[in-house]
Amino acid sequence: MGFGPLLLLASLEGLVTAATLALMALGLSLVFGVMRVVNVAHGEFFMLGAVVAWAVSTAFAGHPAIGFTAALLVAPLVVGAVAFLAERLVLKRLNYDPEATIVATIGLLYIVQQLALTFYGADARPVQPPFNPRIQLPWFGYSGYKLGVIAAAGVLLAGVWFVLARTRAGLVMRATQYDAETAQAFGIPVGRVYAGVFALGAMLAAVAAVLVVPVSQAHYLMGRDPLLLSFVVVIIGGLGSLRGTVVAALLIGLSDGIISTLFFSPTLAKILATLLVALVLVFRPQGLFGTAAR
Amino acid sequence: MTDARKPSSFLTSSVSRRSALKGLGATAALTAAPGFVRYAQTQSSAPIRIGFQAHRTGIGASYGRWYERTTAAAVKAINAAGGINGRPVEIVTEDDGTDPARGAEVVEKFASQHKVDLVYGTLFSHVVTGSAPAAGELKIPYYVVSEGYHVASGKLNRWVIQPGITDVRAQCRSVAPWISQNVGKKITMIYPDYAFGHDHRDFFAPAAAEQGAEVIAQIAIPPTETSFTRYFPQIPAGTDVIYHVMVGPAVLTFVKELGEFYGGRGPKLFGFIDSLEAVDMKSPGLDFLEGSHFWEGMPRYLQADASEAERAYRDAVGLDENGAAANDPRDVSTNAHMFGCWETLYIIKRSMEAAGYRGIEDRQKLIEATEAITELEEGVEHPQGPKRFDGKIHQVFGVQNISVVENGKLNVVHKTAIEDGLYEPEADYTTQSF
């Protein structure tokens, strides 16, 4: 296969990775940006989204698009509700202390993972895509559904941007992110904002999971790699920066796709991503688009 | 304190000869009492405890579930027929998480806590490789149902035996002639990048070369990979056949993406059913497999010419004619591999009877009795087919099945002979000390 077609395939694969990674990392970045909480259980909310998607989609007979649409609506709500409860029951009681919440979300990680193992089982189970026309290019065929994932992620990212930048809810979140105490002085219910943000972050992870689960399968251990990659993206992009997160996700996703395919080594792709994290932490700790601490 | 302490009363007293003789007499009488006789009988009637190292979680969970069901069915059948040496068989199960480190811990736990007679059942080769040294150190028999060549290689230790399932080297040698003559001669291999996959990598190419075929590329994929399209550009344009074997939670993705990449054209396929174990052949996205071929250790679908023994085995385990659970058609089995559990347990039975096994002091005799086995006839105990056991390399040899996908089902088109898989041994465990 020539270099051009190879690069095309690499870019397509990279874009699929970047699309789901952007949504996933955005949830993590949002939670850290507003709450200053590092949510180590974020990967398990992703996994939970996939598991719920399987449960919902298999409950519907008939055309797979029906089950998938239902899953796309229900999974984020279920996962968001779980996250909301977790925030109210755990994080709030710890007063959002940075060190304590890391330990708490690690505990949350194991609880969610083991509950999924207990009730869902240890098998990988498929979810049918709503559509999957095979697109034949001159050199290779490609999944039409994967292209749909890229488009859907783009729409969702635009939606999140609109909410954050153009709505009152977004204004409230940004104000809380900027200065929680002053926001509280202005009557913003900071506690409820935190709960909402934590739930929203989890919902983004769940949406990413629903989009990706027809490509891979729902498996109780599937949350780990997305979590690690999300941390990479958030660190490079700048904690709390939406724009940085999206750019970093594109950078990491495309480089993963391109390096994995061109150099036939997924391990090399991960090595370079980790090296990039190290460089960012050393030379530009606020990330590409983050602002330096005052 | 001004009081001088007296020596303890023990030192000042003496045991008279008379009271000593009374004690001895009482002890002798007690030994003759009915309780002791009953206890002695109870000991020889105690259950034979087999530690079952199962992959209940981790990437091998599908196999673990079915290995467990097959094991339960075999034990039920053995106990219904009177057990082993008149003693019932009891299974103690521990989950190794499909993890080599936990595998070693599980073996140690079986030996020191559960105090089982032997350990049995492991499938994934990296777990076997991680667990075998513990079995050697603890001197506990370790009967694996793994398929890997590592047992036959002589690199493990004398306590490790694989008597119920053939190894990859034999499987490669058996299928190479058929692939070369019927599918194609320029072959690209895709395999998982760990011990089991390395066996395919190392043994299929020489076997193919003997048939005038050539392996023109070998593509290794991490066992926990979830996205496979990126590897397919490595498949050379001149490939006649893609020889694929895959494991892990994402096997279905692997096969689907192969279909998306090539569609109806592209190289022919010869796969090991490992790429689709526990996966429904009628899953969406698998239509392109029509006409392609798979190796199966035992046929998933009940064949018209299946023996009575095979049918009885399937009924005992609870399989329908499609190789799924009788009570859940979506719960597809790992039938190409799990027969090894059934056959291994019967080998253990046969070996214990031959050795006159009484307890853990007879573990060495148990191994030696298994090493002495040569021919195994097809039947209730060995429903997969006749077998030949080589005690020097602790490995069994048997027939292999090649099936074609027709109308979404697998139909056997070729059965190899035991001789097809034989190779020159590289080791002799019987010269190793226990």
Side-chain angles (χ1 to χ4, degrees), chain B residues 209-388:
Chain B
E210 288 177 25
Q211 306 298 324
E214 183 191 1
V215 171
I216 62 179
Q218 292 176 319
I219 301 167
I221 297 183
T224 54
E225 183 61 270
T226 57
S227 175
F228 302 87
T229 300
R230 68 185 76 183
Y231 298 93
F232 298 150
Q234 297 180 51
I235 300 169
T239 300
D240 291 334
V241 190
I242 293 173
Y243 171 111
H244 64 88
V245 49
M246 196 51 58
V247 299
V251 288
L252 177 56
T253 301
F254 168 72
V255 182
K256 281 171 65 180
E257 290 189 348
L258 201 56
E260 284 161 3
F261 191 82
Y262 280 114
R265 25 189 203 162
K268 293 178 182 174
L269 301 179
F270 185 96
F272 276 62
I273 197 63
D274 308 52
S275 297
L276 284 173
E277 278 286 55
V279 174
D280 193 343
M281 293 295 293
K282 291 186 160 64
S283 299
L286 299 188
D287 302 21
F288 78 99
L289 289 176
E290 195 73 14
S292 59
H293 294 91
F294 284 87
W295 164 92
E296 294 187 284
M298 185 180 229
R300 172 185 295 189
Y301 294 84
L302 184 63
Q303 305 294 305
D305 61 353
S307 67
E308 282 308 312
E310 185 177 348
R311 291 171 194 265
Y313 157 79
R314 291 175 75 108
D315 287 344
V317 176
L319 294 182
D320 67 13
E321 63 182 22
N322 291 328
N327 56 5
D328 182 1
R330 295 180 307 177
D331 191 358
V332 179
S333 73
T334 57
N335 202 44
H337 297 82
M338 66 201 208
F339 69 88
C341 293
W342 178 282
E343 301 207 5
T344 298
L345 285 168
Y346 273 101
I347 293 274
I348 290 168
K349 176 179 191 291
R350 172 169 166 163
S351 303
M352 283 188 164
E353 288 169 353
Y357 184 89
R358 294 160 301 170
I360 61 177
E361 68 274 10
D362 285 336
R363 280 174 172 167
Q364 183 174 322
K365 284 188 189 176
L366 173 59
I367 295 290
E368 288 169 336
T370 305
E371 286 173 347
I373 292 173
T374 51
E375 300 292 326
L376 297 162
E377 289 180 9
E378 179 173 8
V380 170
E381 300 185 0
H382 302 287
Q384 189 266 352
K387 292 186 174 56
R388 191 177 305 173

Side-chain angles (χ1 to χ4, degrees), chain A residues 181-197:
Chain A
E181 288 177 346
T182 305
Q184 192 148 35
F186 275 84
I188 291 175
V190 168
R192 294 220 306 270
V193 170
Y194 282 172
V197 164

Side-chain angles (χ1 to χ4, degrees), chain A residues 123-124 134 136 141 215 217 260, chain B residues 65 230 249 253 260-261 265:
Chain A
D123 292 337
R134 183 174 169 272
Q136 179 64 54
V215 175
Q217 276 89 60
S260 295
Chain B
R65 180 171 75 259
R230 68 185 76 183
T253 301
E260 284 161 3
F261 191 82
R265 25 189 203 162

Side-chain angles (χ1 to χ4, degrees), chain B residues 388-409:
Chain B
R388 191 177 305 173
F389 184 74
D390 186 335
K392 291 183 176 178
I393 58 176
H394 284 193
Q395 177 63 53
V396 80
F397 294 85
V399 304
Q400 317 293 339
N401 301 280
I402 294 175
S403 306
V404 65
V405 182
E406 290 170 339
N407 300 316
K409 291 193 174 188

